[in-house]
Amino acid sequence: MADSKELLTKLSDASTESEFFSPIPTGYKKGKTKYVFVMGTVMSGLGKGIFSSCLAKLLQDKGLKVAPIKLEGYLNIDSGTLNPFRHGEVFVLDDGMETDMDLGTYERMLDLDLSKANFATSGQIFSSVLNKERHGDYLGRDVQMIPHVTGEVKLKLRQLAADSKADVVFVEIGGTVGDLENAYYLEAMRELAYEEGPHSSCFVALTYILEPPALGEQKSKAAQLGIKQVMQLGIQPDIIACRATNPVNEKARQKISIYSNVPFERVVSLHDSASIYMIPSMLREHGLDFEVLRLLKIEDRINLRHERKAWARWCDFTDRIGTARYKSTIGITGKYTSVRDSYASIINALEHAGIALGCDVGIEWIETTDITDKNAAERLASVDGIIVPGGFGSRGAEGKIACVRYARESDLPYLGLCLGFQMAVIDFARNVCKLKGAGSTELDPKCAEPVIDILPEQKKIEGLGGNMRLGGRDVEIKPETVAWNLFGGKDSVRMRFRHRYEVDPKYIETLEAGGLVFSGKAPDQPIMQILELPDHPFFMGTQAHPCLTSRPLRPSPMFVGLVAAATKRRHAQVDLPDCIEAVKQVAGLA
Ligand code: GLN
């Protein structure tokens, strides 16, 4: 207790005499790190994360070190308990933090592995403040939203700056300006910018330009009112990015410029784009990268040689978008309607694989509740490959198993992700190894042959009640298998996990005797993590989520393998490479 008090006194101005409270972490150098704050007005869902990550990428290409952080308004400590069909997918970081899907956008765009330092929720901020209060860290003060809660937010941002040694920290504030739950974040941003001084920070407001079909013209009033709300908080935006369906015309931009004191050239159109990977070049055409450098006075820190190379590599990638020569359709067994956000990483990983292979990948969502062995052929007739993605609970499980069986028996390329890996084990146990009662205790706690189960060892290792195995783990790859070839002959690869159940080791021998190959496992533990069938064009399952680590320029080999096999099946008349050959060619490209 004495220690933490001492530390905080040293770090801050906290005292009963002072109204200031701005703890500065050790090692923090004022002026070294600059801040870009990205906020949204008018409505949510504007793509703040996409904008922020694309702008960060342009600075990263110039040789600057960037560190993003997303500030969430909700009171949950992490996103682990959020329903993905309401809030988008839960994105798991290497350190096991369960975050918002925007962190996936940052990882993909910046090709960085992020950590819990890059993600905060109101739950985390308040719990930290309350813990400090119980430790007596506030020295007799009444603990207030300002300066203590805002002080905690500033501390988190400065901590990230100090630890990452970033030139620029990109701060994305979740929600919309005007929400009660993020108001204190915006206040903290204002305070931080003030404390850090001129040229320390750049405020970007995203807004939305309406274009009602009945009027046929763009209307900027809602955007003006949204910006007005920002200014009422004492924040002067430096850049306004206007989201819209179509390019925002000069008139609308001029109106916003006059109204907001933001120079016309910094009121830019950020209209819809076919691929988010085209947005960096849109921002570049608007000159936003150099505007930010000038606003932050860091033009002298950039390396233009670095940028030339990075940009050329990026353009090699984006030039391939929309030029596909082949087509394939991947069926994904998804159980709800608002599936796009719930499966964001899978959709991205398919896009990366498709672009790398010159294949336009279409997605067909498959509801499995009424699929059986009898109608699977008919229901899957239009797809060239199938993914059974991760999931929890028993809904549609038998239908998924029927899909796996059909894929296995009719050479339809298959990729099972986490739950999909488990479904593949169940199908194989039931239909090849003849363990009729094979199942998973998650789906049927009383099943006769629980090939998938929570294991006692895991309960011991992972904590009482069998908590999830979360985050990045090394996976040992069996030499000479398909997985080993896909991973370029590496004996170990790092993958991300989020599961509770796994193959019960006592069934491994039976499954292998039946012909199933476990090509990836946990080092030193009998935890099976990748499975494959040698005599199938592509049949693979993994207990991990390879979609979480697929990057535009480094697509996931498993997804490339699936899409290559599906494309080969679709274009049977062309002599296309098999999955292993295709992955090798892509690796040469990347
Ligand atoms: N429900 C399964 C488990 O907990 C699969 C989890 C998942 O697909 N992410 O093991």
Side-chain angles (χ1 to χ4, degrees):
M1 185 164 152
D3 276 348
S4 68
K5 224 184 220 175
E6 211 176 86
L7 184 70
L8 209 81
T9 321
K10 210 167 51 194
L11 297 182
S12 73
D13 312 307
S15 85
T16 36
E17 304 305 319
S18 171
E19 292 305 318
F20 292 127
F21 179 77
S22 240
I24 306 290
T26 24
Y28 185 76
K29 286 200 196 80
K30 192 171 168 181
K32 153 79 181 136
T33 301
K34 310 281 183 159
Y35 299 87
V36 173
F37 302 116
V38 178
M39 64 201 102
T41 69
V42 178
M43 65 182 199
S44 63
L46 293 178
K48 293 187 293 284
I50 294 172
F51 173 86
S52 178
S53 61
C54 292
L55 190 56
K57 181 202 158 34
L58 295 181
L59 299 198
Q60 185 192 45
D61 282 353
K62 294 177 176 45
L64 297 179
K65 194 157 177 26
V66 296
I69 180 167
K70 170 101 192 252
L71 304 177
E72 291 283 10
Y74 51 73
L75 288 164
N76 310 57
I77 300 286
D78 57 36
S79 308
T81 53
L82 298 182
N83 180 345
F85 300 103
R86 196 182 143 89
H87 196 81
E89 76 177 354
V90 177
F91 193 86
V92 184
L93 303 180
D94 191 77
D95 64 359
M97 184 74 186
E98 295 173 286
T99 71
D100 174 88
M101 59 187 279
D102 274 325
L103 274 279
T105 309
Y106 288 111
E107 285 209 340
R108 287 186 284 270
M109 203 54 93
L110 300 172
D111 199 358
L112 285 180
D113 285 330
L114 302 176
S115 76
K116 60 179 186 301
N118 305 95
F119 182 69
T121 66
S122 290
Q124 289 174 26
I125 300 289
F126 290 135
S127 111
S128 174
V129 169
L130 294 175
N131 281 334
K132 286 180 181 169
E133 188 277 331
R134 288 292 82 190
H135 281 110
D137 289 348
Y138 295 105
L139 310 177
R141 270 291 308 256
D142 47 332
V143 182
Q144 295 185 291
M145 289 297 285
I146 302 170
H148 302 106
V149 179
T150 50
E152 192 65 34
V153 178
K154 290 182 285 182
L155 176 62
K156 174 100 188 168
L157 300 184
R158 286 182 170 127
Q159 191 72 58
L160 174 62
D163 295 346
S164 66
K165 301 189 174 57
D167 293 291
V168 186
V169 163
F170 280 79
V171 186
E172 176 193 346
I173 299 127
T176 311
V177 175
D179 293 347
L180 187 63
E181 60 178 15
N182 63 19
Y184 78 99
Y185 281 139
L186 292 159
E187 168 60 16
M189 309 300 102
R190 188 195 63 72
E191 289 174 20
L192 186 75
Y194 165 68
E195 289 168 8
E196 295 283 317
H199 304 292
S200 63
S201 316
C202 163
F203 285 93
V204 184
L206 263 72
T207 191
Y208 194 76
I209 305 296
L210 300 166
E211 194 168 349
L215 299 180
E217 61 171 323
Q218 293 183 325
K219 290 292 191 187
S220 65
K221 182 62 80 188
Q224 292 174 33
L225 294 174
I227 303 297
K228 184 173 175 177
Q229 253 180 327
V230 177
M231 295 168 77
Q232 278 172 341
L233 297 172
I235 292 174
Q236 169 62 53
D238 298 296
I239 292 171
I240 296 178
C242 304
R243 291 282 297 114
T245 313
N246 298 306
V248 178
N249 62 38
E250 285 209 359
K251 204 170 125 199
R253 286 170 51 219
Q254 282 170 356
K255 277 191 183 171
I256 292 172
S257 169
I258 294 173
Y259 200 82
S260 61
N261 309 317
V262 177
F264 179 66
E265 59 281 7
R266 283 196 244 133
V267 180
V268 300
S269 171
L270 195 67
H271 45 279
D272 291 350
S273 156
S275 164
I276 71 160
Y277 299 117
M278 302 307 290
I279 294 178
S281 79
M282 196 191 275
L283 300 185
R284 215 167 178 259
E285 277 157 30
H286 292 319
L288 278 195
D289 44 356
F290 281 98
E291 287 290 350
V292 171
L293 294 174
R294 272 191 291 273
L295 285 163
L296 298 176
K297 277 214 161 87
I298 47 171
E299 303 105 304
D300 57 341
R301 294 193 199 174
I302 65 173
N303 177 342
L304 287 174
R305 266 174 75 99
H306 189 285
E307 182 186 39
R308 263 199 305 277
K309 277 197 205 145
W311 192 245
R313 269 190 88 202
W314 182 254
C315 291
D316 284 346
F317 165 74
T318 52
D319 284 351
R320 294 203 291 272
I321 296 175
T323 60
R325 280 197 292 154
Y326 305 107
K327 248 181 166 356
S328 67
T329 303
I330 302 294
I332 305 179
T333 60
K335 54 182 178 182
Y336 292 88
T337 40
S338 62
V339 282
R340 274 206 80 81
D341 280 1
S342 342
Y343 296 114
S345 290
I346 296 181
I347 296 171
N348 268 282
L350 284 172
E351 189 181 356
H352 304 159
I355 293 169
L357 292 165
C359 173
D360 182 11
V361 183
I363 294 177
E364 203 174 299
W365 300 98
I366 301 166
E367 167 67 57
T368 58
T369 37
D370 60 351
I371 297 190
T372 60
D373 285 340
K374 287 208 175 63
N375 65 15
E378 177 203 333
R379 294 289 300 276
L380 300 177
S382 52
V383 303
D384 310 303
I386 177 162
I387 292 176
V388 174
F392 295 82
S394 59
R395 190 174 180 274
E398 287 304 321
K400 288 174 193 167
I401 297 169
C403 290
V404 181
R405 179 178 189 176
Y406 175 74
R408 180 175 53 76
E409 291 178 346
S410 58
D411 282 351
L412 182 66
Y414 175 74
L415 180 60
L417 304 173
C418 205
L419 185 72
F421 166 95
Q422 299 171 357
M423 299 294 106
V425 171
I426 296 173
D427 159 54
F428 202 82
R430 280 185 194 171
N431 301 313
V432 180
C433 304
K434 302 298 172 203
L435 295 172
K436 284 293 160 218
S440 155
T441 48
E442 180 186 18
L443 315 175
D444 173 12
K446 293 200 195 70
C447 68
E449 305 278 3
V451 289
I452 304 293
D453 199 358
I454 299 188
L455 300 177
E457 302 92 89
Q458 193 196 320
K459 282 185 200 161
K460 262 186 269 149
I461 299 162
E462 304 282 335
L464 218 61
N467 288 335
M468 292 225 232
R469 304 184 86 233
L470 274 174
R473 312 269 164 139
D474 291 333
V475 178
E476 204 175 276
I477 307 294
K478 190 170 186 173
E480 310 300 333
T481 57
V482 178
W484 186 79
N485 276 300
L486 293 185
F487 287 118
K490 285 197 201 113
D491 295 330
S492 170
V493 292
R494 196 157 177 86
M495 301 185 85
R496 287 203 200 155
F497 293 85
R498 182 171 188 256
H499 68 110
R500 260 188 207 102
Y501 294 80
E502 56 201 40
V503 180
D504 186 333
K506 75 170 188 260
Y507 290 101
I508 293 173
E509 219 182 292
T510 313
L511 292 163
E512 284 181 337
L516 192 65
V517 173
F518 286 112
S519 45
K521 64 179 275 297
D524 311 320
Q525 276 175 290
I527 303 179
M528 299 301 110
Q529 294 174 329
I530 302 175
L531 64 76
E532 63 190 48
L533 287 177
D535 299 320
H536 191 288
F538 188 85
F539 190 97
M540 187 164 280
T542 172
Q543 195 64 88
H545 296 268
C547 46
L548 298 180
T549 39
S550 181
R551 307 274 164 86
L553 303 185
R554 293 186 300 121
S556 152
M558 287 190 181
F559 278 81
V560 176
L562 171 78
V563 172
T567 311
K568 191 171 168 61
R569 182 179 167 100
R570 170 80 158 253
H571 298 269
Q573 73 289 2
V574 191
D575 188 25
L576 288 173
D578 68 11
C579 61
I580 293 175
E581 203 44 48
V583 169
K584 281 190 187 150
Q585 286 177 11
V586 166
L589 270 179

